[in-house]
Amino acid sequence: YGSSLIDIIVHRETVENGRRVFLDFRGNPSGAGALEDFSFECLSPEALAYLRKSGALLPTPIERLRRMNPPAIEIFRSHGIDLEREPLEIAVCAQHNNGGLKGNIWWESNVRHLFPVGEANGSHGVYRPGGSALNSGQVGSRRAALFISRRYPEKPPAAGDFLREAETQIRAHFDRAAWMVDRTGPRPEILSEALSEIQTRMSSHAGPIRNRTDIGREARKARELFDGLRTSLKVGSAQDLPGAFKVLDACLTHVVYLEAIQEYLRKEGKSRGSYIVTGEEGEIPCPGLEDKWKFSPTPPEAYVGRRILEVGWNDRGGILKRWVPIRPIPREESWF
């Protein structure tokens, strides 16, 4: 049933059951008497041919990894994890979110002179194969560089001119920072507690598994946390300010993110390639899973399939949502 079944199982173990899951490269997977033990014959023809052509039909996973991707072993070793001697703890990552900053055909955002390229730009769309994503980052960089060289050739402002232009915003941040420092001793664990709550909420409700019923409740809790932090967050010293601003930024981000998910579901958005929405009619992805894992894919003609959700934030703390039609793909008439 593919890697998506592994995602579901790992999510169930880590998020629902509170267990830890490890990937062990030292030996091949065992069926433990319930399933067939690993063998190369279990692989699809494509996977088997790939390993054969790579010279990686070797006895253990660590030997196959060493043949195909030795830098991965070294990266983990540099972080104190030796895959040859110990298992690697894993979790499910929400990789394909397919969002980003609004950009035009030259990759310039609606903040003038700001050019988000690569995955920071919201141009990838719902169906985003890895190869086209890499190419999109390269094309975006080239087009942005061309536009900047032709349309913005002037030199950056002098430091003094820039400071005068940005003084109001800079002063507001300094005043905010001064207000946040309270040497009378706020609880030192408040930052770690807030960040842990944000991380737990996002892993449980905004990753590869999402539930139509739960998302509204979690969006409200996220907003309550942000409103509380924005009006009362204090730290004991200036050294704690970077962590405090990080928590505020992460909290605001997760508020907007959850609101966007809720808006998508309100418009009858369903499951798609990067996540499944549970709690609705549909098919079970694999025999043996409970009925709660039923899901239905979003049909191509759905409202959310023909529009882009733009989300913003106004000065009064309100979240702005706007659905705009997707840009049509140009029809080329060239011989190529």
Side-chain angles (χ1 to χ4, degrees):
Y1 297 93
S3 60
S4 295
L5 180 58
I6 303 298
D7 294 343
I8 291 173
I9 294 172
V10 173
H11 175 91
R12 184 168 65 176
E13 289 300 299
T14 56
V15 174
E16 296 186 0
N17 297 331
R19 296 171 177 151
R20 302 169 70 189
V21 179
F22 294 84
L23 190 63
D24 195 342
F25 285 85
R26 297 171 296 178
N28 292 312
S30 164
L35 298 173
E36 186 178 349
D37 289 344
F38 171 83
S39 70
F40 290 117
E41 287 71 29
C42 295
L43 300 177
S44 67
E46 293 85 358
L48 185 60
Y50 180 61
L51 289 176
R52 182 180 292 112
K53 292 177 180 179
S54 302
L57 291 177
L58 300 170
T60 62
I62 189 66
E63 292 174 276
R64 298 192 284 272
L65 183 64
R66 189 182 300 112
R67 176 63 60 86
M68 301 181 70
N69 191 6
I73 298 174
E74 296 307 317
I75 288 173
F76 283 112
R77 183 175 286 122
S78 69
H79 288 81
I81 302 171
D82 187 349
L83 298 182
E84 296 180 342
R85 298 179 179 274
E86 59 185 318
L88 173 68
E89 187 167 8
I90 62 170
V92 182
C93 171
Q95 182 182 8
H96 295 131
N97 288 289
N98 302 322
L101 298 176
K102 180 180 179 180
N104 61 21
I105 62 173
W106 295 101
W107 269 254
E108 185 175 23
S109 72
N110 52 347
V111 178
R112 193 163 176 260
H113 292 180
L114 177 63
F115 290 80
V117 296
E119 296 196 49
N121 192 291
S123 59
H124 287 314
V126 176
Y127 307 105
R128 193 211 64 153
S132 64
L134 295 173
N135 293 336
S136 178
Q138 295 166 339
V139 170
S141 300
R142 254 183 103 81
R143 289 180 65 83
L146 177 62
F147 188 89
I148 292 167
S149 67
R150 299 292 178 87
R151 298 295 181 90
Y152 297 143
E154 65 272 11
K155 293 182 179 180
D161 294 337
F162 175 78
L163 287 174
R164 281 189 292 274
E165 183 74 22
E167 182 177 4
T168 301
Q169 293 94 327
I170 295 172
R171 178 59 57 191
H173 283 291
F174 270 104
D175 291 344
R176 172 77 179 180
W179 175 84
M180 289 172 66
V181 175
D182 181 359
R183 303 188 188 282
T184 59
R187 292 191 303 114
E189 63 273 14
I190 187 170
L191 296 182
S192 60
E193 288 177 354
L195 194 59
S196 176
E197 180 178 339
I198 294 166
Q199 292 170 331
T200 299
R201 179 171 294 117
M202 293 298 285
S203 294
S204 301
H205 304 283
I209 312 297
R210 303 174 184 182
N211 183 275
R212 193 176 296 276
T213 303
D214 295 344
I215 202 70
R217 178 192 68 235
E218 297 305 318
R220 288 192 298 273
K221 288 183 178 180
R223 186 57 190 257
E224 291 169 2
L225 177 64
F226 177 70
D227 290 341
L229 291 174
R230 187 171 55 165
T231 57
S232 63
L233 180 60
K234 300 281 188 175
V235 293
S237 70
Q239 284 72 29
D240 297 322
L241 284 171
F245 280 111
K246 176 183 177 180
V247 166
L248 286 171
D249 285 347
C251 195
L252 174 58
T253 300
H254 102 300
V255 168
V256 175
Y257 197 104
L258 289 165
E259 285 278 356
I261 294 175
Q262 186 177 30
E263 175 68 13
Y264 173 85
L265 297 178
R266 280 175 179 160
K267 295 295 185 182
E268 300 304 317
K270 298 184 178 181
S271 303
R272 45 188 255 196
S274 56
Y275 58 81
I276 62 173
V277 179
T278 60
E280 55 189 34
E281 297 300 320
E283 300 293 328
I284 299 175
C286 172
L289 288 174
E290 301 88 344
D291 283 346
K292 69 177 183 178
W293 294 104
K294 285 183 177 180
F295 75 95
S296 300
T298 301
E301 69 278 4
Y303 181 91
V304 298
R306 294 177 282 111
R307 291 169 179 81
I308 297 169
L309 173 60
E310 294 182 353
V311 183
W313 179 264
N314 64 27
D315 295 337
R316 300 181 300 278
I319 298 176
L320 310 176
K321 303 163 192 167
R322 186 167 74 111
W323 290 92
V324 299
I326 57 174
R327 291 196 292 259
I329 298 175
R331 293 192 175 276
E332 297 276 347
E333 297 298 335
S334 70
W335 63 271
F336 188 74

